[in-house]
Amino acid sequence: MSALHFNAFVMNTASHINHGQWRHPDSRQTDFEDVDVWIDLAKRLEDGLFDAMFFADVVGVYGPADGDYTPNARQGLQIPSNDPAVLLSALAVNTRDLGFAFTSSVLQEHPFAFARKVSTLDHISRGRIAWNIVTSAQESAARNFGLPGLVEHDERYRWAEEYVDVTYKLWEGSWDEGALVKDREGGVYADASKIHRINHVGERYRVEGPHLPSPSPQRTPLLYQAGASGAGRAFAARNAEAVFLAAPTPAIAAETIVETRRLAVEAGRRPEDIKFFQGISFVIGSTEEEARRAEAELDEYASLEGYLTHMNFGTRPDGTPYPPETQLKDIHTNASQSILEWLRRSVPDREATVADLGKVLLSRGRLVGTPETIADKLEEWQRAGVDGINVVNWRIPGSYIEFIDHVLPELQRRGLAQTEYTPGTLRRKLFGRDHLDERHPASRYRGAFGGEA
């Protein structure tokens, strides 16, 4: 049995997934603007041999575009929030092995500027950066970047295909190996004959190049993606190296994994070219009774308003609520279709309704028990095809300290968690190599622009 990978799933905000917990006196995410909160956490995660910190992000507010965001502000629900990419520089220089994944939407930055930023971060971290590719699911996000509204769901993935294509050309094709010379005696810093314009002309972008940074340790960052809709799976199958799941059961996760890997093979890749990470929060006790008491205490702080505002599937686009008896299968959304489907399937014995949303949201994705019973459950997820866990916190840093101190030793005893880091880049730690393999679509740009001086 191979070891699972573990990411700390966080966000540069007060209330990310488990809403209301910021009110607890031991919760440091209330002070998320303080860089020491994150530096301290990164060091603790590295001591615990976590693979990475995975930063979620959004560039809009949840809810109807013209709606009231009072509950968002009241709950600290991803507003205020800060840019995770800026934070990563501080975390990278205070760690040596921990990876850093950050979310960035195709909406929010031109691909030329984004590719330059990522290469800079990969240099600073010595190759420990990952990009979670998202297309945004909020109307307000689209408006924040000059669009009249959210582009249709599948069309957003077509947009993403061109976006990543531009970045691949810059990262993989603009600089040949050996272009950076640093020849002091000869007076040549870089060989212009090995640095190329990409001259991309597409539906949305025209990018001449060349890429301004020299190749970073990974060239292309490790690539995450979270879409599980039809369009999302197809995109992941072509582009992703790691896919984030929020499936309600191992069996449903297995369906997504099998289908995505099948699509990857059709795209010329191998099933093992993609690793799958399931999002789970943990409630830990030395006995089952102690774990249940801890769960009850967490639920005392839980904010139902926060959960419902976050998902927002109980509200029409115009802000009016759906009747409670409305079945989730009858709700049509241009936002996160995969999350809605997973919520629907969280009620296995009948069709889930809007009235079920509160209970489903409060309890989904949680494992409660002793380290031994939690390890048993993680073995079930691994048998379903899951390669790693995105550990969702209740409170920072307590959720991670408890997991590291109590669960990881049991996982290590079973061979389910690593006992030391593999030296090198994040991709080397996960896949045994620094650069994308030759089956990935980005590889076709290596040496493709040699005709341009």
Side-chain angles (χ1 to χ4, degrees):
M1 185 174 291
S2 60
L4 290 163
H5 299 288
F6 291 93
N7 297 330
F9 190 47
V10 296
M11 186 171 175
N12 201 0
T13 191
S15 193
H16 174 205
I17 297 291
N18 288 316
H19 302 296
Q21 300 300 324
W22 62 269
R23 297 181 296 119
H24 192 277
D26 294 337
S27 172
R28 288 192 73 192
Q29 63 255 44
T30 309
D31 301 317
F32 75 90
E33 299 97 339
D34 183 349
V35 69
D36 287 333
V37 170
W38 299 107
I39 292 173
D40 291 348
L41 178 59
K43 290 179 176 179
R44 190 69 180 87
L45 292 168
E46 187 164 76
D47 288 342
L49 300 175
F50 265 61
D51 290 273
M53 292 178 77
F54 186 121
F55 279 88
D57 195 32
V58 292
V59 285
V61 295
Y62 287 93
D66 296 313
D68 178 14
Y69 47 78
T70 298
N72 308 62
R74 179 167 52 241
Q75 297 297 334
L77 197 169
Q78 304 186 17
I79 180 173
S81 68
N82 291 345
D83 187 339
V86 179
L87 177 61
L88 296 195
S89 292
L91 304 185
V93 299
N94 279 281
T95 53
R96 187 183 68 179
D97 286 294
L98 187 68
F100 299 101
F102 76 104
T103 300
S104 184
S105 170
V106 300
L107 271 178
Q108 70 190 84
E109 193 167 6
H110 191 281
F112 180 84
F114 176 75
R116 186 187 190 206
K117 178 167 70 178
V118 169
S119 293
T120 304
L121 286 170
D122 205 50
H123 277 299
I124 290 170
S125 67
R126 295 180 171 87
R128 291 181 285 137
I129 297 299
W131 171 28
N132 178 35
I133 309 164
V134 298
T135 59
S136 290
Q138 299 149 315
E139 288 290 333
S140 62
R143 294 185 184 185
N144 284 339
F145 293 93
L147 297 174
L150 200 60
V151 175
E152 190 273 327
H153 180 274
D154 288 6
E155 178 61 25
R156 298 202 299 273
Y157 280 103
R158 287 190 64 248
W159 179 351
E161 287 285 3
E162 184 181 356
Y163 192 99
V164 299
D165 196 51
V166 174
T167 63
Y168 295 161
K169 289 174 180 178
L170 293 166
W171 289 324
E172 297 291 333
S174 188
W175 286 65
D176 295 341
E177 292 295 330
L180 191 63
V181 178
K182 295 187 179 180
D183 180 359
R184 295 177 187 269
E185 293 184 3
V188 178
Y189 196 85
D191 183 348
S193 69
K194 296 181 178 181
I195 305 170
H196 314 294
R197 297 182 179 93
I198 64 168
N199 291 317
H200 174 90
V201 179
E203 188 176 339
R204 290 181 177 270
Y205 301 108
R206 297 175 66 94
V207 179
E208 181 178 273
H211 191 42
L212 296 180
S214 61
S216 69
Q218 296 184 120
R219 281 191 176 258
T220 298
L222 190 78
L223 299 169
Y224 274 88
Q225 210 272 324
S229 64
R233 289 182 192 180
F235 181 87
R238 290 188 295 272
N239 297 285
E241 296 173 272
V243 171
F244 178 24
L245 304 174
T249 67
I252 293 173
E255 294 176 12
T256 299
I257 292 168
V258 168
E259 174 63 10
T260 306
R261 286 187 165 142
R262 182 188 67 79
L263 292 171
V265 171
E266 289 184 0
R269 304 175 71 195
R270 295 176 183 169
E272 65 269 22
D273 290 343
I274 305 176
K275 293 185 183 293
F276 292 83
F277 287 75
Q278 170 69 22
I280 301 176
S281 59
F282 297 90
V283 186
I284 307 158
S286 58
T287 65
E288 293 294 332
E289 293 75 17
E290 183 180 303
R292 292 299 171 186
R293 287 196 299 272
E295 181 182 38
E297 197 252 1
L298 288 167
D299 284 343
E300 287 179 9
Y301 282 88
S303 167
L304 181 59
E305 178 186 53
Y307 284 95
L308 292 173
T309 302
H310 187 175
M311 287 297 101
N312 193 47
F313 292 126
T315 307
R316 297 184 179 93
D318 63 4
T320 60
Y322 284 105
E325 65 275 11
T326 304
Q327 295 184 346
L328 297 189
K329 70 179 180 65
D330 295 327
I331 292 176
H332 301 286
T333 178
N334 193 27
S336 182
Q337 296 179 2
S338 58
I339 294 294
L340 179 61
E341 175 64 13
W342 278 330
L343 290 174
R344 185 179 73 83
R345 298 183 70 178
S346 296
V347 181
D349 55 341
R350 57 180 172 79
E351 283 293 341
T353 67
V354 167
D356 294 318
L357 276 174
K359 182 178 179 181
V360 169
L361 291 169
L362 282 169
S363 61
R364 77 186 183 108
R366 127 182 0 181
L367 283 183
V368 183
T370 65
E372 294 77 16
T373 58
I374 286 173
D376 292 342
K377 293 293 185 182
L378 291 182
E379 287 182 355
E380 291 182 24
W381 284 99
Q382 188 182 54
R383 286 193 293 271
V386 166
D387 303 285
I389 304 298
N390 271 357
V391 181
V392 180
N393 68 81
W394 300 92
R395 299 162 190 161
I396 290 174
S399 296
Y400 297 112
I401 291 174
E402 289 178 3
F403 188 82
I404 290 167
D405 288 349
H406 300 294
V407 177
L408 275 181
E410 176 63 21
L411 296 174
Q412 289 168 334
R413 187 184 68 80
R414 300 186 188 200
L416 285 171
Q418 64 184 352
T419 55
E420 61 182 359
Y421 281 115
T422 300
T425 66
L426 181 57
R427 183 175 284 112
R428 180 165 293 279
K429 287 173 166 62
L430 266 64
F431 290 98
R433 58 181 179 270
D434 294 327
H435 299 150
L436 287 166
D437 62 62
E438 70 282 358
R439 297 175 296 278
H440 193 279
S443 68
R444 67 181 180 269
Y445 294 123
R446 295 168 185 164
F449 304 108
E452 287 290 337

